[in-house]
Amino acid sequence: MGSSPETEHPVKAFGYAARDSSGALSPIKFSRRETGDEDVRFKVLYCGVCHSDLHSIKNDWHNAKYPMIPGHEIVGVVTEVGSKVKKVKVGDKVGVGCMVGSCRSCDQCVTDQEQYCAKSVQTYNSPAIVTYGGYSDHMVANEHFIISWPKDLPLDGGAPLLCAGITVYSPMRYYGLDKPGMHVAVVGLGGLGHVAVMFLKALGIKVTVISTNPKKKEEATSKLGADSFLVSRDESQMQAVMSTMDGIIDTVSADHPLPPLISLLKPNGKLVLVGAPTKPHEVPAFPLLLGMNLFYLLGRKLVGGSLIGGMKETQEMIEFAAKHKITAAVEVIPIDYINTAMGRLQKSDVRYRFVIDIANSLKST
Ligand code: NAP
Ligand code: ZN
Ligand code: ZN
């Protein structure tokens, strides 16, 4: 066995990889393991393009391993199952999100929070083990990390739920921002943000979108169902809603100040960060204790974070989405458009998620 991506495993595979921090993606031949007893092998049909893919290929988080085959919003059709697999059979539609492994025995794993397992294995660019993501012809993963696809959920619009969906759903549940009548803001109307709006509305929440782009107002309110829309750079709009929110889900991918958001929270309000900008945020104490303005003696606010979700919760989320007919608004692209798509994603020029039509556009050469 050689150690090159093409020869390290016995099964031939094909995909698109970044070779360096330019992030340019181009075809690659590589290989995947044989189907183990507990493994599910599937042909990839669609793969969403998450902003984390862009951060990763550009090495924004200083942890890139090249060649890197991104993609962690993967749906496909099962082609082979190991002898012990119970969850799915050949021909079933399945999904894989951001994780393909964990220790299965630590406190986090036994309580269905595998995403916080110290040994969790990311779908691609995993630190300890070499893994390759869904910008590729097929996948193989242990059945524990396979999502059974609901019968009526579209594959293309559903794919982004596997990362964008669970990343916003999990904190709504964990931080209790899921009670009908609450007022929750979603900051950043991108891939994660637009799904967050739809989930919150399905839960009976009053939703305010906070965006940098006034042109998104019409879609946010009339298409996605948000109750109101604020432009974050408009101080008077922000002032007018100080101390009115139970929670905020911040999906912003770039540096931005938190104090103006903290000031929007009611006492005991929660600001949950799911976006992963490169620079550390500044979190001053007084706005958490008192609110921005001493006139508003309101505090005990919390700034928290959240990372994707466990496998059990991901399955629950996908069924919740199917039940409420929630899918991402997608722009389906061929794989050879991916570098242009990444350039557009960098500029927030996507309504609201690119999804690669892998089956119809990725051809081995
Ligand atoms: P996206 O589609 O690019 O959306 C990000 C949104 O952030 C943009 O649409 C834009 O919304 C807003 N934004 C961009 N630049 C901004 C700036 N300079 N100031 C203020 N707002 C700005 O990205 P995504 O795929 O939703 O991912 C969002 C972030 O979440 C990324 O950092 C990603 O890595 C991270 N993420 C985290 C997890 C997790 O587990 N925690 C999972 C997936 C992704 P407006 O145009 O409305 O302002
Ligand atoms: Zn993602
Ligand atoms: Zn574990």
Side-chain angles (χ1 to χ4, degrees):
M1 290 270 195
S3 59
S4 83
E6 198 174 346
T7 54
E8 63 188 321
H9 295 293
V11 183
K12 284 193 167 64
F14 183 69
Y16 263 55
R19 265 66 177 204
D20 55 43
S21 62
S22 72
L25 291 149
S26 57
I28 186 171
K29 286 180 178 159
F30 69 108
S31 55
R32 293 201 185 274
R33 67 174 185 249
E34 278 174 351
T35 310
D37 288 350
E38 296 179 3
D39 281 347
V40 174
R41 183 177 295 279
F42 65 94
K43 176 181 159 61
V44 177
L45 298 176
Y46 293 100
C47 186
V49 179
C50 179
H51 204 115
S52 299
D53 299 346
L54 180 56
H55 287 305
S56 299
I57 58 176
K58 297 236 175 211
N59 199 17
D60 283 354
W61 298 327
H62 308 291
N63 65 350
K65 293 199 296 187
Y66 300 105
M68 186 193 301
I69 302 178
H72 58 205
E73 296 181 337
I74 314 161
V75 292
V77 58
V78 177
T79 53
E80 194 181 9
V81 293
S83 58
K84 294 188 180 151
V85 169
K86 297 194 190 75
K87 205 188 258 182
V88 294
K89 55 183 191 322
V90 170
D92 285 354
K93 303 292 192 310
V94 292
V96 158
C98 301
M99 275 184 299
V100 288
S102 71
C103 85
R104 311 284 300 278
S105 60
C106 70
D107 288 354
Q108 284 71 34
C109 284
V110 299
T111 52
D112 299 307
Q113 306 170 78
E114 302 92 335
Q115 73 275 33
Y116 302 119
C117 169
K119 293 186 178 155
S120 75
V121 180
Q122 295 162 35
T123 301
Y124 66 86
N125 198 43
S126 202
I129 307 170
V130 176
T131 52
Y132 296 118
Y135 296 10
S136 64
D137 61 347
H138 80 277
M139 287 291 295
V140 58
N142 183 290
E143 72 166 327
H144 185 73
F145 298 91
I146 294 279
I147 295 297
S148 299
W149 203 256
K151 196 161 53 66
D152 301 324
L153 187 66
L155 296 174
D156 52 357
L161 299 172
L162 293 162
C163 173
I166 187 61
T167 299
V168 294
Y169 181 88
S170 184
M172 286 171 204
R173 295 303 197 189
Y174 177 77
Y175 288 103
L177 302 176
D178 57 354
K179 314 284 180 291
M182 279 182 158
H183 182 192
V184 175
V186 174
V187 191
L189 198 64
L192 270 56
H194 89 291
V195 177
V197 173
M198 293 185 276
F199 277 147
L200 289 164
K201 287 314 298 175
L203 290 164
I205 308 271
K206 179 181 170 195
V207 181
T208 295
V209 169
I210 302 177
S211 170
T212 56
N213 184 351
K215 291 191 194 128
K216 290 184 180 172
K217 179 173 182 173
E218 174 60 24
E219 270 173 355
T221 50
S222 64
K223 281 202 188 147
L224 302 172
D227 299 279
S228 56
F229 182 95
L230 303 173
V231 178
S232 49
R233 287 166 188 154
D234 184 329
E235 271 181 41
S236 62
Q237 283 189 17
M238 297 287 277
Q239 289 273 341
V241 289
M242 269 173 81
S243 310
T244 62
M245 294 174 190
D246 298 286
I248 300 176
I249 297 183
D250 182 340
T251 75
V252 172
S253 54
D255 302 326
H256 61 291
L258 297 187
L261 300 176
I262 294 167
S263 72
L264 305 183
L265 294 169
K266 290 180 190 168
N268 308 322
K270 297 166 185 171
L271 167 60
V272 184
L273 308 176
V274 293
T278 322
K279 267 202 215 149
H281 285 297
E282 272 189 27
V283 182
F286 272 87
L288 293 177
L289 274 51
L290 304 170
M292 272 298 278
N293 179 332
L294 288 178
F295 183 68
Y296 294 85
L297 289 173
L298 308 168
R300 201 163 65 180
K301 297 173 187 178
L302 177 148
V303 178
S306 191
L307 181 75
I308 52 169
M311 296 317 300
K312 188 171 171 221
E313 194 172 43
T314 305
Q315 188 71 49
E316 174 192 309
M317 174 281 308
I318 208 99
E319 277 153 23
F320 180 91
K323 182 174 161 205
H324 292 276
K325 301 204 182 318
I326 293 172
T327 53
V330 297
E331 182 172 337
V332 178
I333 59 165
I335 185 84
D336 60 10
Y337 186 76
I338 189 64
N339 291 311
T340 308
M342 288 295 186
R344 287 180 51 197
L345 183 59
Q346 183 79 58
K347 293 185 286 182
S348 303
D349 174 23
V350 50
R351 302 288 172 87
Y352 283 90
R353 195 58 138 193
F354 290 115
V355 170
I356 311 167
D357 182 352
I358 297 280
N360 290 311
S361 68
L362 178 68
K363 306 281 181 245
S364 178
T365 49

